[in-house]
Amino acid sequence: MSVEILANRRIPPATPQMVWISDQLASRIVTAGFAYQTVMEAFLVHAAGDFVQPPKPFVRPGGAAKEYELGYLVSMPAYVGGSLNALGAKLITGFPINLTRGIPRASGVIVLFDTTTGVPAAIVDCRTISARGAAATASICVDCLGAKTSLRVAVLGAGPIAHETVISLFMTKSRPIDSVLIFDPVGDRARAIVEAVSPFTDVPVQLAPSARQCVADANVVIAATTGAKAYVQQDWLNDGWLIIALSSDDFVPDIIQSANKLICDDFVQNDQEDMLFPRLVRSGAIGPERLYGELGLIVAGRIAGREGGERIFVNPTGMAIQDLAIAARVCATEACRAGARPLTC
């Protein structure tokens, strides 16, 4: 082959080696602070509009009626720009019956692609990433929308997300938390959170005997249950509350309709969800003029957060861009540790 032909020959870029990140490895890298900072960046990129995030398609093998036994699969493809620069998809299943089998209700992976070549770059177990990403979102909501003093926090539910949320509240920033009450019908799960967190704080973290007693004196209510339906009543709550509905069907419609500010992470995505808040919007019970704004705009300081003694309802259904952002940062951290070429994820 002549020198001229060799000189003009295009040499393809090196193909990155596919990386597998186990949940064990991800959990060591994704501390509460790591998740908080990365999710904050994802919200800022969202506010800047440098992302692509189509609605989530659901696959239900047995239809909605048999979701408990036969489960569902959610596909969450996305691109997030800025310094995060991640392209991929989160694939996550939900099998409620798994709780009776002693295994997690939800399982999934995040697939990342090289943003220069489109070559598959990594597969990441997303169990810890999902839980700590949701917990970071809850902590960010408290910082942007909660009272500035005397936070009295009620947590409904004691699954993995609730567990990580309580840890995040204490581990990511210094906050004026006066008390944390936790209620879950499965008392052992709530007790496990109390035992895990109490050694690291002087703030009382205690079990509540009922949902009503849990929220009665709270000005921050975080719901992270697995399918509870409209049991929290309006007269249970103090005024001036912040509700962070990671599972929004816990609250009767009157509570949502009485909020001064209605906020979510992404209104287009939220509209596709089968949860109470978007159902009220789609039915016309809540008019579009009532929707205050997206969380990223508040994080970016483009619209106000809490103003006085408002009642604020936030329904962050979880964005693919935040999960992809965390996974990409995990890949970069592990590549750096291993001395490998950083992935363009």
Side-chain angles (χ1 to χ4, degrees):
M1 187 177 291
S2 71
V3 174
E4 182 180 356
I5 292 174
L6 282 172
N8 292 329
R9 184 180 179 188
R10 183 178 181 277
I11 300 175
T15 301
Q17 184 178 1
M18 173 75 77
V19 174
W20 161 249
I21 303 290
S22 68
D23 185 63
Q24 183 179 28
L25 176 55
S27 67
R28 291 202 298 267
I29 296 172
V30 185
T31 62
F34 184 108
Y36 183 97
Q37 183 59 42
T38 307
V39 172
M40 280 284 284
E41 290 184 51
F43 278 126
L44 292 173
V45 172
H46 186 271
D50 190 10
F51 71 98
V52 179
Q53 185 173 250
K56 312 169 189 175
F58 276 69
V59 177
R60 294 181 171 91
K66 295 186 178 180
E67 190 173 287
Y68 179 82
E69 299 90 356
L70 301 180
Y72 59 84
L73 168 69
V74 188
S75 173
M76 299 168 62
Y79 165 74
V80 56
S83 63
L84 297 169
N85 190 36
L87 173 68
K90 176 181 176 181
L91 300 169
I92 188 163
T93 60
F95 278 67
I97 197 174
N98 281 357
L99 295 177
T100 67
R101 297 165 172 158
I103 58 177
R105 178 178 183 271
S107 305
V109 295
I110 296 168
V111 184
L112 294 171
F113 297 84
D114 190 297
T115 55
T116 300
T117 65
V119 173
I123 300 175
V124 186
D125 189 308
C126 69
R127 183 172 25 170
T128 294
I129 287 174
S130 296
R132 292 184 183 167
T137 296
S139 288
I140 290 166
C141 288
V142 171
D143 291 338
C144 294
L145 300 164
K148 301 306 178 187
T149 59
S150 302
L151 292 170
R152 301 179 304 280
V153 181
V155 179
L156 299 170
I161 291 176
H163 195 137
E164 296 294 347
T165 296
V166 176
I167 291 172
S168 182
L169 288 174
F170 287 108
M171 298 298 184
T172 54
K173 292 184 73 175
S174 176
R175 299 183 176 90
I177 300 175
D178 286 0
S179 63
V180 176
L181 282 177
I182 305 168
F183 173 74
D184 189 283
V186 183
D188 290 346
R189 298 201 310 175
R191 191 171 293 106
I193 299 177
V194 172
E195 292 173 354
V197 175
S198 293
F200 301 100
T201 179
D202 294 330
V203 174
V205 180
Q206 299 173 320
L207 301 178
S210 68
R212 181 169 189 165
Q213 289 169 280
C214 187
V215 305
D217 190 45
N219 54 12
V220 176
V221 179
I222 302 171
T225 63
T226 55
K229 301 291 183 183
Y231 60 96
V232 179
Q233 304 296 315
Q234 190 168 20
D235 62 1
W236 293 7
L237 301 171
N238 278 321
D239 209 10
W241 41 255
L242 165 64
I243 290 175
I244 304 166
L246 303 175
S247 50
S248 74
D249 283 2
D250 302 73
F251 305 92
V252 297
D254 286 352
I255 290 176
I256 301 174
Q257 291 169 318
S258 72
N260 302 112
K261 285 178 177 170
L262 296 171
I263 298 164
C264 69
D265 44 11
D266 185 290
F267 280 127
V268 173
Q269 182 172 272
N270 186 275
D271 185 57
Q272 308 297 314
E273 297 285 347
D274 185 24
M275 291 183 171
L276 178 58
F277 176 37
R279 288 199 300 268
L280 290 172
V281 175
R282 288 195 296 269
S283 71
I286 293 176
E289 74 284 352
R290 294 282 319 283
L291 306 180
Y292 176 68
E294 293 173 328
L295 189 54
L297 297 175
I298 297 170
V299 171
R302 290 168 55 183
I303 59 176
R306 171 168 291 278
E307 298 173 286
E310 295 175 313
R311 299 180 302 277
I312 301 176
F313 185 91
V314 192
N315 184 204
T317 56
M319 298 191 294
I321 63 170
Q322 67 191 49
D323 293 306
L324 263 62
I326 297 173
R329 286 280 168 84
V330 168
C331 288
T333 301
E334 175 59 13
C336 182
R337 184 200 65 79
R341 180 177 73 83
L343 297 171
T344 308
C345 298

